Protein backbone atom coordinates (compact mmCIF):
# COMPACT_ATOMS: atom_id res chain seq x y z
CA UNK A 1 0.00 0.00 0.00
CA UNK A 2 2.81 2.37 0.93
CA UNK A 3 4.65 1.40 -2.26
CA UNK A 4 1.53 2.10 -4.30
CA UNK A 5 1.23 5.52 -2.66
CA UNK A 6 4.86 6.37 -3.36
CA UNK A 7 4.50 5.17 -6.94
CA UNK A 8 1.38 7.30 -7.36
CA UNK A 9 3.19 10.40 -6.04
CA UNK A 10 6.20 9.76 -8.30
CA UNK A 11 3.98 9.32 -11.34
CA UNK A 12 2.07 12.43 -10.40
CA UNK A 13 5.30 14.43 -9.99
CA UNK A 14 6.57 13.15 -13.34
CA UNK A 15 3.51 14.37 -15.22
CA UNK A 16 5.03 17.86 -15.78
CA UNK A 17 1.66 19.32 -16.49
CA UNK A 18 1.53 22.21 -14.08
CA UNK A 19 -2.07 23.15 -14.60
CA UNK A 20 -2.40 24.81 -11.20
CA UNK A 21 0.66 26.93 -11.83
CA UNK A 22 -0.74 28.14 -15.12
CA UNK A 23 -4.19 28.76 -13.71
CA UNK A 24 -3.17 30.46 -10.46
CA UNK A 25 -0.08 32.48 -11.35
CA UNK A 26 0.23 36.07 -12.44
CA UNK A 27 2.11 36.32 -15.75
CA UNK A 28 2.03 40.11 -15.94
CA UNK A 29 3.82 41.73 -13.03
CA UNK A 30 2.98 45.33 -13.79
CA UNK A 31 3.92 47.16 -10.63
CA UNK A 32 5.87 50.37 -10.46
CA UNK A 33 9.57 49.69 -10.08
CA UNK A 34 9.58 46.21 -11.59
CA UNK A 35 12.13 45.72 -14.32
CA UNK A 36 13.44 43.05 -16.66
CA UNK A 37 16.76 43.13 -18.46
CA UNK A 38 16.90 41.19 -21.68
CA UNK A 39 19.83 40.62 -23.99
CA UNK A 40 20.36 39.49 -27.54
CA UNK A 41 23.66 38.60 -29.20
CA UNK A 42 24.35 42.25 -29.95
CA UNK A 43 22.27 44.40 -27.66
CA UNK A 44 20.45 44.65 -24.34
CA UNK A 45 17.00 45.96 -23.66
CA UNK A 46 15.54 47.21 -20.41
CA UNK A 47 11.83 46.84 -19.73
CA UNK A 48 10.68 48.93 -16.79
CA UNK A 49 7.36 49.69 -15.20
CA UNK A 50 7.19 53.38 -14.50
CA UNK A 51 4.74 55.49 -12.56
CA UNK A 52 1.03 55.12 -13.15
CA UNK A 53 -0.37 57.53 -15.69
CA UNK A 54 -3.94 58.55 -16.46
CA UNK A 55 -5.10 58.45 -20.06
CA UNK A 56 -8.68 58.83 -21.18
CA UNK A 57 -9.50 59.02 -17.47
CA UNK A 58 -8.15 55.51 -16.99
CA UNK A 59 -5.14 54.71 -14.82
CA UNK A 60 -2.59 52.66 -16.71
CA UNK A 61 1.03 51.59 -16.36
CA UNK A 62 3.76 53.17 -18.37
CA UNK A 63 6.00 50.32 -19.45
CA UNK A 64 9.21 51.38 -21.11
CA UNK A 65 10.49 48.92 -23.72
CA UNK A 66 14.06 50.04 -24.31
CA UNK A 67 13.07 53.66 -23.87
CA UNK A 68 9.86 53.45 -25.91
CA UNK A 69 6.84 53.78 -23.64
CA UNK A 70 3.75 51.67 -23.94
CA UNK A 71 0.73 52.46 -21.84
CA UNK A 72 -0.75 49.23 -20.63
CA UNK A 73 -3.89 48.57 -18.71
CA UNK A 74 -4.28 45.31 -16.85
CA UNK A 75 -7.79 44.02 -16.42
CA UNK A 76 -8.96 40.53 -15.42
CA UNK A 77 -9.89 39.74 -19.02
CA UNK A 78 -7.12 41.47 -20.97
CA UNK A 79 -3.95 43.47 -21.11
CA UNK A 80 -4.97 46.53 -23.07
CA UNK A 81 -2.71 49.02 -24.78
CA UNK A 82 -3.27 52.70 -25.32
CA UNK A 83 -3.14 53.61 -29.00
CA UNK A 84 -3.04 57.08 -30.46
CA UNK A 85 -2.74 57.73 -34.19
CA UNK A 86 -1.99 61.30 -35.15
CA UNK A 87 -2.07 62.80 -38.61
CA UNK A 88 -0.11 65.93 -39.28
CA UNK A 89 -1.56 68.33 -41.79
CA UNK A 90 -0.35 71.83 -42.43
CA UNK A 91 1.96 71.70 -39.43
CA UNK A 92 -0.84 70.82 -37.05
CA UNK A 93 -1.47 67.45 -35.35
CA UNK A 94 -4.90 65.87 -35.59
CA UNK A 95 -5.81 62.85 -33.50
CA UNK A 96 -7.55 60.29 -35.70
CA UNK A 97 -7.68 57.32 -33.35
CA UNK A 98 -7.30 57.32 -29.58
CA UNK A 99 -8.43 54.44 -27.40
CA UNK A 100 -7.35 51.26 -25.61
CA UNK A 101 -7.07 48.04 -27.61
CA UNK A 102 -6.93 44.50 -26.34
CA UNK A 103 -3.31 43.41 -26.63
CA UNK A 104 -3.41 40.06 -24.83
CA UNK A 105 -6.54 38.23 -23.83
CA UNK A 106 -6.56 36.87 -20.29
CA UNK A 107 -6.39 34.36 -18.75
CA UNK A 108 -3.68 32.77 -20.86
CA UNK A 109 -4.86 29.47 -22.31
CA UNK A 110 -2.86 27.53 -24.85
CA UNK A 111 -4.23 27.84 -28.38
CA UNK A 112 -6.32 30.90 -27.72
CA UNK A 113 -6.43 33.56 -30.42
CA UNK A 114 -7.95 37.00 -30.37
CA UNK A 115 -8.12 40.20 -32.33
CA UNK A 116 -9.25 43.69 -31.67
CA UNK A 117 -9.38 46.82 -33.76
CA UNK A 118 -9.80 50.54 -33.53
CA UNK A 119 -11.19 52.47 -36.48
CA UNK A 120 -11.98 56.13 -36.75
CA UNK A 121 -11.84 58.97 -39.23
CA UNK A 122 -11.59 62.70 -39.19
CA UNK A 123 -12.50 65.38 -41.72
CA UNK A 124 -9.49 67.62 -42.31
CA UNK A 125 -9.51 70.48 -44.75
CA UNK A 126 -12.15 69.04 -47.05
CA UNK A 127 -10.91 65.45 -47.03
CA UNK A 128 -11.48 62.38 -44.92
CA UNK A 129 -8.53 60.80 -43.15
CA UNK A 130 -9.24 57.31 -41.90
CA UNK A 131 -7.08 55.30 -39.53
CA UNK A 132 -7.26 51.73 -38.38
CA UNK A 133 -5.21 49.90 -35.81
CA UNK A 134 -5.65 46.24 -35.17
CA UNK A 135 -3.97 43.53 -33.20
CA UNK A 136 -4.05 39.84 -33.95
CA UNK A 137 -2.71 37.68 -31.17
CA UNK A 138 -2.42 34.05 -30.37
CA UNK A 139 -0.85 31.80 -27.80
CA UNK A 140 1.33 29.46 -29.75
CA UNK A 141 2.18 27.19 -26.86
CA UNK A 142 3.72 26.76 -23.47
CA UNK A 143 6.73 24.86 -22.31
CA UNK A 144 8.18 24.04 -18.96
CA UNK A 145 11.43 25.97 -18.60
CA UNK A 146 13.64 25.14 -15.65
CA UNK A 147 13.66 27.94 -13.13
CA UNK A 148 10.76 29.74 -14.77
CA UNK A 149 7.96 27.20 -14.78
CA UNK A 150 5.42 26.92 -17.58
CA UNK A 151 6.22 29.71 -20.03
CA UNK A 152 3.61 30.86 -22.54
CA UNK A 153 4.68 32.07 -25.97
CA UNK A 154 2.48 34.76 -27.46
CA UNK A 155 2.58 36.00 -31.04
CA UNK A 156 1.26 39.50 -31.60
CA UNK A 157 0.78 41.25 -34.90
CA UNK A 158 0.27 45.02 -34.79
CA UNK A 159 -1.04 46.69 -37.93
CA UNK A 160 -1.52 50.41 -38.35
CA UNK A 161 -3.21 51.72 -41.48
CA UNK A 162 -3.75 55.36 -42.32
CA UNK A 163 -5.89 56.03 -45.38
CA UNK A 164 -5.39 59.43 -46.91
CA UNK A 165 -7.21 60.77 -49.97
CA UNK A 166 -4.31 59.93 -52.23
CA UNK A 167 -2.40 57.18 -50.43
CA UNK A 168 -2.53 54.38 -47.88
CA UNK A 169 0.21 54.04 -45.25
CA UNK A 170 0.56 50.64 -43.62
CA UNK A 171 2.90 49.75 -40.80
CA UNK A 172 3.13 46.19 -39.50
CA UNK A 173 5.08 44.96 -36.50
CA UNK A 174 5.29 41.31 -35.52
CA UNK A 175 6.52 40.41 -32.07
CA UNK A 176 6.80 37.21 -30.13
CA UNK A 177 6.81 37.45 -26.37
CA UNK A 178 7.22 34.76 -23.74
CA UNK A 179 5.91 35.16 -20.21
CA UNK A 180 6.77 33.14 -17.13
CA UNK A 181 4.53 32.71 -14.08
CA UNK A 182 5.08 35.30 -11.36
CA UNK A 183 8.07 36.69 -13.28
CA UNK A 184 6.75 38.26 -16.46
CA UNK A 185 8.55 38.83 -19.73
CA UNK A 186 11.38 36.33 -20.26
CA UNK A 187 11.76 36.49 -24.03
CA UNK A 188 11.08 39.08 -26.69
CA UNK A 189 11.52 38.71 -30.41
CA UNK A 190 11.06 41.32 -33.12
CA UNK A 191 12.87 42.55 -36.23
CA UNK A 192 15.88 43.58 -34.11
CA UNK A 193 16.51 40.07 -32.85
CA UNK A 194 15.74 37.72 -30.01
CA UNK A 195 16.14 39.01 -26.48
CA UNK A 196 16.32 36.65 -23.51
CA UNK A 197 15.94 37.54 -19.88
CA UNK A 198 19.21 37.90 -18.03
CA UNK A 199 18.07 39.69 -14.87
CA UNK A 200 14.89 40.99 -13.33
CA UNK A 201 13.31 42.37 -10.23
CA UNK A 202 9.63 41.99 -9.43
CA UNK A 203 7.78 42.68 -6.23
CA UNK B 1 -1.19 -14.21 -0.17
CA UNK B 2 0.08 -16.21 2.76
CA UNK B 3 -2.18 -17.99 5.18
CA UNK B 4 -1.18 -15.59 7.90
CA UNK B 5 -2.13 -12.49 5.96
CA UNK B 6 -5.38 -14.10 4.82
CA UNK B 7 -6.24 -14.82 8.42
CA UNK B 8 -5.45 -11.25 9.37
CA UNK B 9 -7.81 -10.09 6.62
CA UNK B 10 -10.56 -12.27 8.09
CA UNK B 11 -9.85 -10.86 11.49
CA UNK B 12 -10.10 -7.33 10.14
CA UNK B 13 -13.45 -8.13 8.58
CA UNK B 14 -14.67 -9.75 11.79
CA UNK B 15 -13.43 -6.89 13.92
CA UNK B 16 -14.94 -4.26 11.68
CA UNK B 17 -18.15 -6.25 11.71
CA UNK B 18 -18.31 -6.23 15.48
CA UNK B 19 -17.61 -2.53 15.45
CA UNK B 20 -20.33 -2.02 12.86
CA UNK B 21 -22.78 -3.88 15.03
CA UNK B 22 -21.99 -1.75 18.04
CA UNK B 23 -22.24 1.46 16.02
CA UNK B 24 -25.70 0.67 14.71
CA UNK B 25 -27.01 -0.80 17.96
CA UNK B 26 -30.10 1.07 19.00
CA UNK B 27 -30.45 2.76 15.62
CA UNK B 28 -33.20 0.63 14.18
CA UNK B 29 -30.93 -0.93 11.61
CA UNK B 30 -32.14 -4.49 11.94
CA UNK B 31 -32.21 -4.96 8.15
CA UNK B 32 -28.57 -4.04 7.89
CA UNK B 33 -27.64 -6.26 10.80
CA UNK B 34 -29.47 -9.25 9.29
CA UNK B 35 -27.89 -8.66 5.88
CA UNK B 36 -24.51 -8.38 7.45
CA UNK B 37 -24.91 -11.55 9.50
CA UNK B 38 -26.18 -13.42 6.46
CA UNK B 39 -23.16 -12.39 4.45
CA UNK B 40 -20.80 -12.92 7.32
CA UNK B 41 -21.89 -16.45 8.17
CA UNK B 42 -22.85 -17.79 4.74
CA UNK B 43 -20.66 -16.24 2.06
CA UNK B 44 -17.46 -15.83 4.03
CA UNK B 45 -17.08 -19.48 5.09
CA UNK B 46 -17.66 -20.57 1.48
CA UNK B 47 -14.86 -18.29 0.36
CA UNK B 48 -12.44 -20.11 2.61
CA UNK B 49 -12.57 -23.01 0.13
CA UNK B 50 -10.07 -21.37 -2.17
CA UNK B 51 -9.53 -24.49 -4.26
CA UNK B 52 -12.96 -24.28 -5.88
CA UNK B 53 -12.46 -24.42 -9.70
CA UNK B 54 -14.88 -21.53 -10.16
CA UNK B 55 -12.76 -19.35 -7.95
CA UNK B 56 -9.60 -20.40 -9.73
CA UNK B 57 -11.05 -19.56 -13.13
CA UNK B 58 -12.53 -16.24 -12.19
CA UNK B 59 -12.35 -14.17 -9.09
CA UNK B 60 -9.90 -15.18 -6.44
CA UNK B 61 -11.07 -15.43 -2.87
CA UNK B 62 -9.08 -12.29 -2.10
CA UNK B 63 -10.85 -10.20 -4.71
CA UNK B 64 -14.21 -11.57 -3.62
CA UNK B 65 -13.35 -10.60 -0.08
CA UNK B 66 -12.60 -7.09 -1.27
CA UNK B 67 -15.91 -6.98 -3.14
CA UNK B 68 -17.66 -8.34 -0.09
CA UNK B 69 -16.07 -5.72 2.11
CA UNK B 70 -17.22 -3.05 -0.36
CA UNK B 71 -20.71 -4.53 -0.15
CA UNK B 72 -20.53 -4.38 3.64
CA UNK B 73 -19.50 -0.78 3.24
CA UNK B 74 -22.45 -0.05 0.98
CA UNK B 75 -25.08 -1.56 3.25
CA UNK B 76 -23.85 0.21 6.36
CA UNK B 77 -23.36 3.78 5.41
CA UNK B 78 -24.84 7.16 5.11
CA UNK B 79 -24.99 9.16 1.92
CA UNK B 80 -24.90 12.88 1.54
CA UNK B 81 -24.70 15.92 -0.61
CA UNK B 82 -22.89 19.21 -0.14
CA UNK B 83 -23.06 22.47 -1.98
CA UNK B 84 -21.54 25.85 -1.40
CA UNK B 85 -19.21 28.64 -2.42
CA UNK B 86 -15.47 28.87 -2.73
CA UNK B 87 -13.52 32.12 -2.68
CA UNK B 88 -9.93 32.27 -3.90
CA UNK B 89 -7.55 32.78 -0.99
CA UNK B 90 -4.13 31.81 -2.31
CA UNK B 91 -3.31 32.37 -5.99
CA UNK B 92 -6.15 32.63 -8.52
CA UNK B 93 -6.21 36.42 -8.07
CA UNK B 94 -8.44 37.01 -11.06
CA UNK B 95 -11.02 34.36 -10.25
CA UNK B 96 -14.42 35.26 -8.96
CA UNK B 97 -16.07 33.08 -6.39
CA UNK B 98 -17.08 29.64 -7.53
CA UNK B 99 -19.62 27.01 -6.73
CA UNK B 100 -18.76 23.60 -5.40
CA UNK B 101 -20.74 20.39 -5.05
CA UNK B 102 -19.92 17.00 -3.71
CA UNK B 103 -21.56 13.63 -3.21
CA UNK B 104 -20.27 11.17 -0.71
CA UNK B 105 -20.83 7.96 1.14
CA UNK B 106 -19.92 7.83 4.76
CA UNK B 107 -19.16 4.94 7.04
CA UNK B 108 -18.49 4.97 10.75
CA UNK B 109 -15.36 3.29 12.00
CA UNK B 110 -14.15 2.87 15.52
CA UNK B 111 -13.13 6.43 16.21
CA UNK B 112 -14.19 8.47 13.20
CA UNK B 113 -16.34 8.60 10.10
CA UNK B 114 -14.67 7.73 6.85
CA UNK B 115 -16.03 9.61 3.88
CA UNK B 116 -15.46 8.74 0.23
CA UNK B 117 -16.78 11.20 -2.28
CA UNK B 118 -16.71 12.84 -5.64
CA UNK B 119 -16.78 16.57 -6.06
CA UNK B 120 -16.79 19.27 -8.65
CA UNK B 121 -16.33 23.01 -8.56
CA UNK B 122 -16.63 25.74 -11.13
CA UNK B 123 -15.10 29.20 -11.27
CA UNK B 124 -15.39 32.08 -13.67
CA UNK B 125 -13.63 35.37 -14.26
CA UNK B 126 -14.72 38.63 -15.75
CA UNK B 127 -13.93 37.19 -19.15
CA UNK B 128 -17.16 35.30 -19.61
CA UNK B 129 -15.59 33.00 -22.21
CA UNK B 130 -13.28 31.55 -19.57
CA UNK B 131 -14.16 28.78 -17.18
CA UNK B 132 -12.19 26.71 -14.73
CA UNK B 133 -13.52 23.35 -13.59
CA UNK B 134 -12.22 20.96 -10.99
CA UNK B 135 -13.34 17.38 -10.71
CA UNK B 136 -12.04 15.28 -7.88
CA UNK B 137 -12.28 12.24 -5.74
CA UNK B 138 -11.69 12.46 -2.04
CA UNK B 139 -11.31 10.41 1.04
CA UNK B 140 -11.84 12.11 4.35
CA UNK B 141 -12.25 11.77 8.05
CA UNK B 142 -14.64 13.53 10.40
CA UNK B 143 -16.48 12.81 13.62
CA UNK B 144 -20.15 13.09 12.83
CA UNK B 145 -21.32 12.38 16.38
CA UNK B 146 -19.66 15.55 17.64
CA UNK B 147 -21.40 18.89 17.38
CA UNK B 148 -18.20 20.55 16.22
CA UNK B 149 -16.08 18.21 14.20
CA UNK B 150 -12.81 18.81 12.42
CA UNK B 151 -12.72 17.45 8.91
CA UNK B 152 -9.84 16.49 6.72
CA UNK B 153 -10.12 15.34 3.11
CA UNK B 154 -7.67 14.71 0.34
CA UNK B 155 -7.62 13.18 -3.09
CA UNK B 156 -6.69 13.55 -6.74
CA UNK B 157 -8.09 16.39 -8.79
CA UNK B 158 -8.62 16.88 -12.50
CA UNK B 159 -8.54 20.51 -13.61
CA UNK B 160 -9.83 21.85 -16.89
CA UNK B 161 -9.49 25.40 -18.16
CA UNK B 162 -11.38 26.63 -21.14
CA UNK B 163 -11.31 29.90 -23.01
CA UNK B 164 -13.50 29.91 -26.08
CA UNK B 165 -12.58 26.76 -27.95
CA UNK B 166 -9.12 26.50 -26.39
CA UNK B 167 -8.68 24.07 -23.54
CA UNK B 168 -6.06 22.94 -21.10
CA UNK B 169 -6.29 20.19 -18.58
CA UNK B 170 -4.14 18.48 -16.01
CA UNK B 171 -4.03 16.78 -12.67
CA UNK B 172 -3.48 18.05 -9.19
CA UNK B 173 -3.77 17.00 -5.61
CA UNK B 174 -6.46 18.41 -3.39
CA UNK B 175 -6.73 18.63 0.37
CA UNK B 176 -9.31 20.17 2.64
CA UNK B 177 -9.08 21.20 6.28
CA UNK B 178 -12.19 22.45 7.96
CA UNK B 179 -14.85 22.37 10.57
CA UNK B 180 -18.33 20.83 10.56
CA UNK B 181 -21.20 21.79 12.81
CA UNK B 182 -23.40 18.69 12.95
CA UNK B 183 -27.09 18.90 13.65
CA UNK B 184 -28.89 15.55 13.80
CA UNK B 185 -32.56 15.13 13.11
CA UNK B 186 -33.48 11.46 13.34
CA UNK B 187 -31.67 9.83 10.42
CA UNK B 188 -30.83 13.12 8.77
CA UNK B 189 -27.74 15.10 9.49
CA UNK B 190 -27.45 18.74 8.49
CA UNK B 191 -24.22 20.59 8.73
CA UNK B 192 -22.57 23.76 7.63
CA UNK B 193 -18.97 23.18 6.70
CA UNK B 194 -16.25 25.84 6.75
CA UNK B 195 -12.97 24.93 5.23
CA UNK B 196 -9.77 25.77 3.46
CA UNK B 197 -9.32 23.81 0.26
CA UNK B 198 -5.80 23.65 -1.10
CA UNK B 199 -4.79 22.41 -4.50
CA UNK B 200 -1.33 21.78 -5.83
CA UNK B 201 0.42 20.35 -8.85
CA UNK B 202 3.60 20.02 -6.77
CA UNK B 203 4.94 23.18 -8.43
CA UNK B 204 2.44 25.74 -7.29
CA UNK B 205 0.07 25.80 -4.39
CA UNK B 206 -3.24 27.63 -4.46
CA UNK B 207 -6.34 27.47 -2.38
CA UNK B 208 -9.80 28.61 -1.55
CA UNK B 209 -11.76 29.30 1.57
CA UNK B 210 -15.27 28.08 1.37
CA UNK B 211 -18.52 27.27 3.05
CA UNK B 212 -20.86 24.46 2.17
CA UNK B 213 -24.15 23.28 3.45
CA UNK B 214 -24.46 19.53 3.62
CA UNK B 215 -27.11 16.99 4.33
CA UNK B 216 -26.55 13.32 5.04
CA UNK B 217 -28.89 10.41 5.49
CA UNK B 218 -28.00 7.35 7.52
CA UNK B 219 -29.53 4.12 6.33
Amino acid sequence: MVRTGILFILLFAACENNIIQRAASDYFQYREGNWWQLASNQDTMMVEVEAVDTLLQIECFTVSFGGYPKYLLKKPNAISQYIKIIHNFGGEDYTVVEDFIKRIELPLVNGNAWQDSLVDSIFISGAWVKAKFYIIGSISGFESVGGYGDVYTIAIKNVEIVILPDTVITDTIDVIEAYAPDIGLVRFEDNDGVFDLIDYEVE
Amino acid sequence: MTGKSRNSMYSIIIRSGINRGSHFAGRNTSTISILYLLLRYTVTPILRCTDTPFLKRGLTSQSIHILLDMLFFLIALSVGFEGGYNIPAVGFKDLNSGVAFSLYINRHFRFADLCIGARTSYFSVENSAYSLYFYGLSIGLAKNSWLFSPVIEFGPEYARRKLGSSKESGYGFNYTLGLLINVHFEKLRFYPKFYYEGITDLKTHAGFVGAKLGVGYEF
Side-chain angles (χ1 to χ4, degrees), chain B residues 29-41:
Chain B
T29 53
S30 56
T31 311
I32 293 168
S33 303
I34 290 165
L35 272 169
Y36 172 71
L37 289 171
L38 274 171
L39 290 165
R40 172 70 187 83
Y41 291 106

Side-chain angles (χ1 to χ4, degrees), chain B residues 35-211:
Chain B
L35 272 169
Y36 172 71
L37 289 171
L38 274 171
L39 290 165
R40 172 70 187 83
Y41 291 106
T42 57
V43 180
T44 306
I46 293 167
L47 294 177
R48 294 184 183 190
C49 309
T50 53
D51 293 335
T52 309
F54 163 74
L55 294 176
K56 277 186 175 175
R57 282 200 307 272
L59 296 169
T60 65
S61 68
Q62 184 189 356
S63 58
I64 289 181
H65 268 292
I66 293 167
L67 288 171
L68 196 60
D69 218 26
M70 288 171 69
L71 186 61
F72 288 161
F73 195 102
L74 287 171
I75 64 172
L77 51 75
S78 65
V79 296
F81 170 84
E82 294 173 346
Y85 281 97
N86 280 354
I87 299 169
V90 179
F92 296 119
K93 285 174 188 165
D94 294 331
L95 283 185
N96 297 329
S97 61
V99 290
F101 299 98
S102 56
L103 284 168
Y104 64 86
I105 55 176
N106 190 304
R107 159 106 188 265
H108 183 77
F109 280 96
R110 188 163 297 174
F111 56 93
D113 292 274
L114 179 69
C115 179
I116 294 174
R119 61 165 179 265
T120 181
S121 51
Y122 163 79
F123 297 87
S124 62
V125 298
E126 284 192 25
N127 188 344
S128 58
Y130 179 77
S131 57
L132 174 64
Y133 291 90
F134 292 107
Y135 305 95
L137 299 171
S138 67
I139 184 164
L141 285 172
K143 183 79 175 171
N144 293 343
S145 58
W146 292 356
L147 176 62
F148 297 100
S149 165
V151 59
I152 179 168
E153 294 171 1
F154 57 92
E157 194 92 349
Y158 172 75
R160 194 184 72 162
R161 311 170 67 211
K162 189 178 174 198
L163 179 56
S165 58
S166 305
K167 296 173 194 168
E168 286 182 16
S169 61
Y171 293 92
F173 181 78
N174 184 300
Y175 60 91
T176 301
L177 300 167
L179 178 77
L180 299 175
I181 303 173
N182 290 300
V183 179
H184 291 270
F185 183 74
E186 296 188 346
K187 289 185 176 183
L188 284 173
R189 179 172 64 94
F190 299 96
Y191 56 92
K193 179 179 176 183
F194 305 97
Y195 57 88
Y196 173 78
E197 183 179 319
I199 185 163
T200 179
D201 53 16
L202 302 184
K203 280 279 179 68
T204 300
H205 169 267
F208 310 94
V209 290

Side-chain angles (χ1 to χ4, degrees), chain A residues 132-149:
Chain A
K132 180 177 182 180
F133 190 94
Y134 64 90
I135 284 180
I136 300 171
S138 64
I139 298 177
S140 52
F142 67 84
E143 60 178 333
S144 193
V145 179
Y148 291 157

Side-chain angles (χ1 to χ4, degrees), chain A residues 16 18 21-22 25-28 38 108-111 139-154 176-188 195-197, chain B residues 161 168 203:
Chain A
E16 282 293 328
N18 308 310
Q21 184 181 62
R22 296 196 302 278
S25 299
D26 183 3
Y27 281 80
F28 300 92
L38 300 100
L108 301 180
V109 176
N110 186 27
I139 298 177
S140 52
F142 67 84
E143 60 178 333
S144 193
V145 179
Y148 291 157
D150 280 3
V151 174
Y152 279 104
T153 303
I154 304 169
I176 295 172
E177 297 173 358
Y179 290 88
D182 298 324
I183 295 174
L185 188 67
V186 294
R187 185 170 243 233
F188 179 84
F195 294 82
D196 285 306
L197 186 69
Chain B
R161 311 170 67 211
E168 286 182 16
K203 280 279 179 68

